[in-house]
Amino acid sequence: MDSFLIKGGKPLHGEVAISGAKNAALPILCASLLTAEPVQVHNVPRLRDINTCLRLLGSLGVQCFWHGENSLALRAEEITEPVASYDLVKTMRASILVLGPLLARFGEASVSLPGGCAIGQRPVDQHIKGLQAMGAEIHIEKGYIHAKAKRLKGARIVTDMVTVTGTENLMMAAALAEGTTIIENAAREPEVVDLGNMLVKMGAQIEGIGTDTLTIHGVKRLNGCTHTVMPDRIEAGTFLCAVAACGGDITLHNADAPSMDATLEKLRIAGLQIDVDGNSIRAIMEGRPKAVGARTAPFPGFATDMQAQLMAVNCVADGTSIINETIFENRFMHVQELVRLGANIEIEGHTAVVKGVPKLEGAQVMATDLRASAGLVIAGLVAADETRIDRIYHLDRGYDRMEEKLRKLGADVKRVAE
């Protein structure tokens, strides 16, 4: 397993390009199952999760080919067997996104219950409830979801909670259903919007994209299309948190500032000077950041995927901040690792109280999940001496060659093999 060695204490200066969004690319790739025609997807990040998704699609019979650095050609003309095996699904919970497309187009699907994440329970009951409302017969046996339907029927679906992957799965399934489906309490995340826009290009009839009520008029078939994945707002937010903690002057290109309003607001309060010019964001930090609290919430609230990174900023901020995690029950696992670096953090239930300290000290720490990894990298960049972050494979799931981009900004980061 690879590790990062970081010699911190340096301000960041320079320019980097933001990659395509992992959380948008995964459902978009799964949407290729909805048509027999070719699908071209551009701005696809080179990530561990993307490779897992391509292996899964390939096991189903989808032809997948890279063209250039970040473009994919996919064709799901024939599906050999509509089964998503445990060996692939266990490493990435987003694999559940093949369930809706397979069921809608081929009338059956067997998908292993997902794994791949340690941050808490992410139940798939909302996916199942919605598909059953559309007429699917579903039973769970030996760890697999088995679903059948001659053709899904339009239905009114009200989810019990806001679920991003649930909304995406049901939206894809409804695109080929007979009649009209209304999804209420739908997720509004920009990645859901990106998928909806792609489905419309494929011929889907969807109203209300970007709102909490989606109306989908099912069609008999969908066509192929060409689509460009949106920039990764979480990657961009991570680099902004890094400069907020370390100081410096950086510019991010291929960024999507409108999708990052909640993050930008928090960082401006922390003292980061932010200038948006089209798809570029320039960020300047002079001096020590100010403590800023946050409460995670579904979009347009502050993203849970940015919580660990903002906490890292608060570790060296002037003052005390309170961070409430409302989405996942186990998303404070990075706290004990930050404390090893000298942070002053106390946890009570779903609340973290962070008392900023003047400096952190390098140490050996361990990444526990994807976004925790990013928080530790930020802490390592600001810490004195050397920090070693083990189990960096978590980071590779969602960040496209992070160490190379950080080196472009002047950071001293090396990847080493154990």
Side-chain angles (χ1 to χ4, degrees):
M1 292 185 290
D2 290 354
S3 301
F4 272 5
L5 291 181
I6 303 175
K7 292 182 180 178
K10 297 181 179 180
L12 303 179
H13 293 274
E15 304 178 3
V16 292
I18 298 303
S19 300
K22 172 185 85 87
N23 290 339
L26 293 174
I28 283 169
L29 296 180
C30 292
S32 66
L33 289 164
L34 291 166
T35 179
E37 297 182 12
V39 171
Q40 299 278 340
V41 185
H42 302 304
N43 200 34
V44 181
R46 291 282 192 155
L47 303 172
R48 188 185 186 101
D49 275 9
I50 295 296
N51 291 334
T52 300
C53 184
L54 294 178
R55 290 200 304 272
L56 173 58
L57 292 174
S59 73
L60 296 171
V62 181
Q63 300 175 48
C64 310
F65 302 99
W66 285 101
H67 288 282
E69 183 66 20
N70 297 106
S71 294
L72 276 168
L74 304 103
R75 187 158 191 173
E77 189 172 10
E78 294 183 6
I79 296 300
T80 51
E81 190 176 13
V83 177
S85 70
Y86 172 72
D87 288 340
L88 288 170
V89 175
K90 70 179 180 181
T91 63
M92 185 185 70
R93 66 168 302 276
S95 303
I96 192 68
L97 288 168
V98 302
L99 177 61
L102 285 174
L103 182 60
R105 183 170 163 217
F106 299 101
E108 62 177 326
S110 293
V111 179
S112 173
L113 289 167
C117 201
I119 60 175
Q121 293 184 356
R122 299 193 185 186
V124 297
D125 58 328
Q126 300 303 303
H127 305 240
I128 294 172
K129 172 186 170 183
L131 292 172
Q132 286 175 327
M134 298 167 68
E137 297 179 4
I138 298 178
H139 70 278
I140 298 175
E141 183 179 4
K142 296 181 179 179
Y144 278 78
I145 302 169
H146 300 280
K148 286 189 177 183
K150 289 184 178 179
R151 186 180 180 191
L152 295 172
K153 308 289 185 182
R156 177 174 175 265
I157 301 168
V158 182
T159 60
D160 296 336
M161 65 184 75
V162 177
T163 163
V164 172
T165 53
T167 299
E168 292 166 340
N169 231 341
L170 297 176
M171 183 164 54
M172 288 189 284
L176 287 178
E178 180 181 350
T180 297
T181 298
I182 299 174
I183 304 174
E184 298 186 33
N185 199 27
R188 295 182 286 166
E189 270 67 8
E191 295 80 10
V192 177
V193 173
D194 204 17
L195 173 63
N197 291 336
M198 180 198 180
L199 293 174
V200 169
K201 290 181 183 178
M202 296 174 71
Q205 297 181 18
I206 307 175
E207 301 167 7
I209 294 174
T211 75
D212 61 3
T213 301
L214 295 171
T215 302
I216 303 116
H217 306 288
V219 297
K220 288 186 177 181
R221 62 181 297 276
L222 293 172
N223 50 261
C225 76
T226 298
H227 187 76
T228 300
V229 176
M230 67 173 288
D232 195 323
R233 62 190 174 111
I234 305 302
E235 183 190 30
T238 299
F239 281 107
L240 293 179
C241 284
V243 73
C246 297
D249 182 347
I250 69 170
T251 299
L252 308 180
H253 299 294
N254 189 39
D256 184 18
S259 69
M260 301 170 59
D261 284 345
T263 295
L264 298 183
E265 178 187 4
K266 294 297 181 185
L267 291 175
R268 284 190 173 109
I269 295 172
L272 187 65
Q273 302 172 47
I274 298 172
D275 180 43
V276 177
D277 182 12
N279 65 351
S280 294
I281 302 175
R282 184 181 181 188
I284 302 172
M285 190 67 182
E286 299 175 352
R288 189 177 173 189
K290 300 180 182 67
V292 54
R295 180 182 178 85
T296 63
F299 190 84
F302 186 78
T304 181
D305 279 355
M306 283 301 306
Q307 179 254 106
Q309 299 92 309
L310 185 65
M311 184 179 290
V313 176
N314 280 319
C315 285
V316 292
D318 182 11
T320 298
S321 59
I322 297 175
I323 296 178
N324 298 112
E325 174 57 60
T326 71
I327 308 298
F328 297 120
E329 66 272 17
N330 294 334
R331 204 154 205 176
F332 282 149
M333 290 190 294
H334 49 279
V335 168
Q336 61 185 357
E337 302 302 306
L338 290 171
V339 169
R340 286 177 55 81
L341 296 171
N344 185 345
I345 308 171
E346 295 182 2
I347 300 293
E348 184 173 341
H350 299 295
T351 300
V353 178
V354 186
K355 297 179 181 178
V357 297
K359 65 176 183 177
L360 299 176
E361 300 289 345
Q364 184 171 358
V365 293
M366 180 180 69
T368 53
D369 64 66
L370 169 55
R371 305 307 173 185
S373 305
L376 293 177
V377 168
I378 293 169
L381 289 171
V382 75
D385 301 321
E386 184 175 86
T387 297
R388 180 187 179 107
I389 306 175
D390 295 329
R391 297 189 180 181
I392 211 67
Y393 63 84
H394 287 293
L395 193 82
D396 294 335
R397 287 184 51 215
Y399 288 92
D400 189 351
R401 291 161 287 193
M402 176 182 261
E403 71 275 23
E404 295 179 18
K405 294 182 180 181
L406 287 172
R407 284 198 291 267
K408 287 184 178 180
L409 299 177
D412 188 341
V413 183
K414 295 180 182 178
R415 180 185 290 262
V416 296
E418 291 187 359

